[in-house]
Amino acid sequence: MSGTIRVMFEPEGKAAFVLPGSLALEAAARAGIIIDTPCGGRGTCGKCRVAVRDGCSPVNATERRILKPRDLAAGLRLACQARLLHDTTVTVPDASRFFEQRILTTGVHRATRLCPAVAKRAVRAPEPSLDAPRSDADRVLDALGGDGLRLDLGALRQLPAALRATDHHLTAVLHGGDVIALEPGDTAGRLFGVAFDIGTTTVVGSLLDLATGHEAAIAARTNPQVSYGDDVVARITYASEGDGLRELQAKIVECVNDILAELAAKAAVPAEAIYEMTMVGNTTMNHLLLALDPRHVAQIPFPAAVRGAVVVPAADLGIAIHPCGRLYTMPNIAGFVGGDTVGVILAADLPTRRKPTLAVDIGTNGEMVLGTRQRLVACSTAAGPAFEGARIRFGMRAADGAIEQVRFGDDVETSTIGDSAPRGLCGSALIDAVAELLRAGILDPSGRLRGPGELPRKLPRALRRRVVPGERGNDFILAHQAETSLGSPILLTQGDIRQVQLAKGAIRAGIEVLKKQFDVDDAGIDAILLAGGFGNFIRRRNALRIGLLPPVEHERIHFIGNAALVGAKMVLACTGYRAQADAASRETEYLELGGLPDFQHHFAEAMLFPESE
Ligand code: FES
């Protein structure tokens, strides 16, 4: 290809053709290789290391700051900084890859009434005659009981052929007062819809048989937008420049269509039999799917372009369901609390709770809602990065090779996803490790890792030997070099502990601010519901030990799975829930924590670890 350079990616042996000057990161995405970018390509995390053979821009100041001289000598570069100038070969090590994350597709079960927005009605229309030469449309509308019904242009175009294909016996597909499609014969028993949870990191689709209410198939993918940054702020920044919005929208639509194709194949249901899609997502994901400019969401006072539900022809966005099918997006609450939180509110049935109930969704952000049937208050904190592996020296997402569980006995015991040699640790292991370090007395409540000379006398020798001096304070060896796939030990550093304090401090402070709104203490919270991928893999005892959650009995903490998706399925199966969703979106009060002095005060307190269990 003229004007482009050829970049070969190893070990896959995949080639990408890009313009000279493209970042190695962009070229990798072009080759279908997703590099982990926890800092969104800002050049601060050092996770995107790749080896570039030659033909590359000179090492810049950012790379010099992050990479050690021996890394540079070995040809390692940061994929978010290195620009490719000539044909070259790039090797992407396992440790730099964004492996498919363990994706949570199931959630709390809600018995749902079946009254979908889309419905089918089979009718036999009278034939035209010379005595009554009425139009096809008039005869079909009469047969349907006509009043107030309209035929969409798409349906009108299908009408003459559909009517005559099966002797004037056909099935109308209705959406509200519109006939959106016509099918020859009686197909009333065959009606499908699809519910999507579009998260910042993962996308899950569920195909529902709307005639029976059963889930026919489920499929999930990593959100391909992660190549453009792993948090909403990075995506908004990208969308605000040049063609960024169009590019990000195309990526998510491609992903949705991939999932639709998988669902259709799994359930042996043609995509044309799917007449409606519902979607939940945070406000930024909602705007990016609809191609709405999200830039103001990131600017004080953080207004969304739209709060309410949007209903549009899915084909207008390039979504490959029936060409006349509709898309419904769950209403948002505010700029940083979106339709996914409304989904959690519906799934957890918060608007009917008599006693204060707290729902916490720890994803890339932490969203919290506390309330009763009288009042709901929501807030959001930037809590996720540490628990998703970002800014943690050996942190990674919950994918193959991640230590997911840590327990201390006479020594450290760990279990790893995929049962392979560990290459990092994910959020649940991070919480386990910090809790165990506190119990063992290796970590003090201020968050300082004690030095070898300050450790408790009774500490087993094997644990004692894992405490080593680090670059800033002490480190703890979670896995020895011989046990890992990295060729180096996996450490928990003093800096990592600080990141955990920041993340858990933000979530806990948000909870404390919400409690104050209701004037309740810990005993006054009837239940804590943990939603989202991360929330479902943490161990309650350890989350309590580090002070992530208020000290309540274990029995009051419940896991509710991917509750946002459950909410999307509810509004798909029954339009009645759409009114509830709208009410929740309008009536849930949003608290902007950044502007509250109270939050800063609680945050400072919540940074500390509890003195005891
Ligand atoms: S340093 Fe490149 S993505 Fe963070």
Side-chain angles (χ1 to χ4, degrees):
M1 250 179 268
S2 66
T4 60
I5 55 169
R6 182 175 189 271
V7 185
M8 181 62 89
F9 282 90
E10 300 291 1
E12 284 87 349
K14 280 190 182 171
F17 294 89
V18 294
L19 289 171
S22 299
L23 289 171
L25 190 63
E26 295 162 354
R30 203 55 79 76
I33 295 167
I34 300 186
I35 293 178
D36 203 6
T37 55
C39 74
R42 285 188 287 270
T44 53
C45 71
K47 295 266 161 152
C48 62
R49 291 160 199 232
V50 293
V52 186
R53 194 169 288 169
D54 45 28
C56 193
S57 58
V59 174
N60 68 17
T62 302
E63 291 177 292
R64 247 179 244 296
R65 186 159 39 77
I66 298 282
L67 296 170
K68 298 209 162 73
R70 69 161 187 273
D71 294 335
L72 290 170
L76 286 182
R77 304 290 303 267
L78 296 180
C80 68
Q81 303 293 318
R83 294 192 178 275
L84 307 174
L85 306 175
H86 307 289
D87 289 359
T88 186
T89 299
V90 176
T91 304
V92 185
D94 274 358
S96 304
R97 286 169 189 258
F98 187 101
F99 280 76
E100 286 295 317
Q101 196 174 355
R102 180 172 57 179
I103 295 173
L104 192 69
T105 53
T106 54
V108 60
H109 179 72
R110 285 291 311 268
T112 303
R113 297 185 301 272
L114 211 52
C115 44
V118 58
K120 278 186 168 181
R121 207 179 309 159
V123 289
R124 186 180 288 279
E127 293 191 26
S129 67
L130 279 174
D131 295 339
R134 304 173 64 223
S135 72
D136 290 352
D138 286 344
R139 283 181 286 116
V140 167
L141 287 173
D142 277 355
L144 285 167
D147 261 8
L149 287 182
R150 290 175 307 271
L151 280 156
D152 273 12
L153 183 58
L156 273 175
R157 287 180 176 149
Q158 294 166 334
L159 180 56
L163 203 51
R164 287 161 184 86
T166 47
D167 199 19
H168 290 70
H169 192 185
L170 49 67
T171 301
V173 185
L174 301 148
H175 192 282
D178 295 333
V179 178
I180 60 171
L182 293 163
E183 294 175 351
D186 182 350
T187 61
R190 199 168 165 74
L191 179 63
F192 292 88
V194 68
F196 269 82
D197 169 24
I198 301 187
T200 310
T201 311
T202 54
V203 183
V204 187
S206 161
L207 180 66
L208 286 195
D209 181 336
L210 295 176
T212 63
H214 290 135
E215 185 169 70
I218 191 147
R221 297 272 191 287
T222 296
N223 186 334
Q225 295 174 344
V226 294
S227 300
Y228 301 83
D230 68 353
D231 62 18
V232 293
V233 175
R235 308 274 172 90
I236 291 172
T237 306
Y238 193 86
S240 306
E241 290 160 8
D243 243 4
L245 177 57
R246 198 196 51 76
E247 235 180 281
L248 290 180
Q249 199 247 357
K251 281 282 171 203
I252 192 60
V253 169
E254 197 181 305
C255 174
V256 164
N257 286 343
D258 275 356
I259 291 177
L260 282 169
E262 184 179 333
L263 292 172
K266 273 183 174 168
V269 168
E272 295 73 43
I274 302 171
Y275 277 101
E276 191 172 44
M277 166 173 159
T278 58
M279 171 268 183
V280 299
N282 61 50
T283 308
T284 303
M285 294 306 112
N286 165 291
H287 282 36
L288 294 180
L289 178 70
L290 294 170
L292 302 176
D293 185 349
R295 80 185 70 192
H296 304 291
V297 170
Q299 296 166 9
I300 292 172
F302 317 111
V306 63
R307 176 201 57 78
V310 172
V311 182
V312 287
D316 286 2
L317 300 174
I319 293 171
I321 58 173
H322 188 283
C324 301
R326 298 290 198 265
L327 166 72
Y328 165 95
T329 61
M330 191 77 98
N332 299 305
I333 292 174
F336 283 106
V337 182
D340 48 355
T341 301
V342 175
V344 172
I345 290 174
L346 291 189
D349 209 10
L350 292 184
T352 66
R353 303 250 176 181
R354 285 189 303 144
K355 296 185 183 162
T357 303
L358 173 70
V360 186
D361 189 346
I362 308 174
T364 311
N365 273 328
E367 283 109 16
M368 289 150 265
V369 192
L370 177 62
T372 62
R373 61 186 175 193
Q374 264 95 36
R375 182 182 178 212
L376 292 173
V377 184
C379 65
S380 163
T381 60
F387 295 136
E388 297 207 329
R391 297 176 207 152
I392 300 296
R393 173 101 174 263
F394 288 90
M396 61 179 285
R397 292 184 168 87
D400 268 5
I403 296 175
E404 62 163 344
Q405 187 167 15
V406 177
R407 219 174 21 215
F408 286 7
D410 286 340
D411 198 358
V412 172
E413 297 164 27
T414 59
S415 70
T416 306
I417 298 175
D419 207 20
S420 46
R423 59 189 181 93
L425 77 161
C426 67
S428 59
L430 191 60
I431 291 178
D432 286 353
V434 172
E436 291 289 51
L437 287 168
L438 284 164
R439 289 188 188 110
I442 299 171
L443 185 63
D444 76 20
S446 76
R448 191 177 68 88
L449 277 168
R450 294 191 166 112
E454 307 166 273
L455 296 172
R457 289 219 334 267
K458 284 193 193 140
L459 192 69
R461 242 167 64 122
L463 286 177
R464 183 179 293 276
R465 283 164 53 180
R466 288 178 181 263
V467 179
V468 294
E471 281 170 20
R472 273 183 232 148
N474 296 301
D475 292 345
F476 183 81
I477 302 173
L478 215 48
H480 292 293
Q481 180 168 340
E483 300 162 343
T484 75
S485 66
L486 299 175
S488 69
I490 292 175
L491 303 171
L492 199 62
T493 69
Q494 183 63 66
D496 297 339
I497 304 284
R498 294 285 177 238
Q499 291 299 327
V500 172
Q501 289 180 282
L502 289 170
K504 76 108 184 172
I507 290 176
R508 182 61 186 279
I511 294 172
E512 294 304 315
V513 171
L514 289 180
K515 275 167 51 192
K516 198 153 178 203
Q517 289 286 316
F518 286 82
D519 203 16
V520 288
D521 57 14
D522 297 332
I525 300 178
D526 191 47
I528 298 178
L529 312 176
L530 292 179
F534 174 65
N536 279 273
F537 295 112
I538 62 179
R539 276 156 281 279
R540 287 175 281 193
R541 177 168 172 254
N542 291 340
L544 290 169
R545 180 63 189 92
I546 71 164
L548 174 67
L549 299 174
V552 301
E553 301 83 10
H554 292 193
E555 306 74 57
R556 278 198 275 155
I557 304 174
H558 306 274
F559 298 114
I560 58 171
N562 189 343
L565 179 66
V566 174
K569 291 198 265 188
M570 289 168 70
V571 292
L572 176 65
C574 182
T575 46
Y577 290 118
R578 298 189 186 185
Q580 288 186 20
D582 188 53
S585 136
R586 271 186 291 102
E587 291 164 15
T588 301
E589 298 164 40
Y590 170 66
L591 268 188
E592 176 48 50
L593 295 176
L596 295 178
D598 231 21
F599 175 73
Q600 299 305 337
H601 159 75
H602 286 299
F603 182 53
E605 263 183 15
M607 288 266 292
L608 303 177
F609 293 114
E611 295 274 346
S612 58
E613 201 76 36

